[in-house]
Amino acid sequence: MASDEEAPFRQTGWAGLRARLFHLYFVLRRPMTLGVRGLIHDAATNSVFLIRHTYVPGWQLPGGGVEVGETMAEALARELYEEGNIQITDAPILKSMHFNRRASRRDHVGFYLVEHFSHTAPKLPDHEIAEAGFFPLDRLPEGTTPATLRRIAEIFANVPASPYW
């Protein structure tokens, strides 16, 4: 159940309908969906990489769905490159698994910490990503989603990992 703090991030209108249709398609194609998200941490600047999609509100961690025939690590590498021009240079660390009940009753997300990477070029806006960039941990952008704030707290404030996204 989404809390009141998540109300501004609920999908409504066309975006909400599109998201529900997308999930309907996947419920017919797959009994469970699996996604990945990565917390890209630049230790030198103590900053994290966040994205803002064109179709859902809020700043969030990059990531996306694991495709048929793809490992979670492969999906993470693909999504980070597509959404941020980020290439993983050493194995990411799987920190936790979460049930994403806000998305659907069958969506799960693997959450990775990525500390070894190269950023090949700034991510320019496109049809999916409105904005992207690195933000210091003490100056995250307004509108950072509650789930993103929870994952950051789990890594940097030693908050126990929630089973829910």
Side-chain angles (χ1 to χ4, degrees):
M1 200 57 94
S3 66
D4 287 339
E5 69 181 4
E6 293 177 343
F9 302 98
R10 289 192 190 114
Q11 296 174 341
T12 59
W14 169 244
L17 176 61
R18 184 170 71 171
R20 285 189 294 282
L21 290 172
F22 179 75
H23 284 287
L24 176 61
Y25 167 78
F26 278 105
V27 80
L28 297 173
R29 300 262 312 163
R30 301 177 193 156
M32 183 181 91
T33 57
L34 178 63
V36 291
R37 294 281 178 141
L39 191 154
I40 315 307
H41 180 233
D42 182 348
T45 61
N46 200 29
S47 61
V48 294
F49 186 80
L50 300 176
I51 61 168
R52 192 173 62 77
H53 282 107
T54 58
Y55 53 89
V56 293
W59 287 91
Q60 54 196 292
L61 300 168
V66 178
E67 299 297 332
V68 173
E70 191 175 48
T71 68
M72 289 173 55
E74 290 168 343
L76 181 67
R78 176 182 49 77
E79 289 288 345
L80 294 182
Y81 188 74
E82 289 174 1
E83 294 186 350
N85 293 327
I86 291 173
Q87 292 182 322
I88 299 172
T89 59
D90 199 1
I93 302 165
L94 178 63
K95 298 301 283 185
S96 50
M97 292 294 298
H98 304 267
F99 172 39
N100 188 5
R101 60 187 175 187
R102 275 190 62 225
S104 77
R105 295 184 313 180
R106 36 176 237 319
D107 189 52
H108 294 78
V109 179
F111 173 55
Y112 285 86
L113 175 62
V114 178
E115 295 182 296
H116 304 283
F117 62 92
S118 66
H119 191 213
T120 59
K123 174 63 179 171
L124 299 175
D126 60 24
H127 68 282
E128 182 183 3
I129 306 299
E131 295 180 84
F134 283 91
F135 296 90
L137 283 170
D138 62 353
R139 291 190 312 276
L140 296 174
E142 186 176 326
T144 300
T145 65
T148 299
L149 294 173
R150 285 192 296 271
R151 300 298 82 78
I152 290 171
E154 289 166 4
I155 298 297
F156 298 109
N158 295 317
V159 172
S162 168
Y164 302 101
W165 184 253

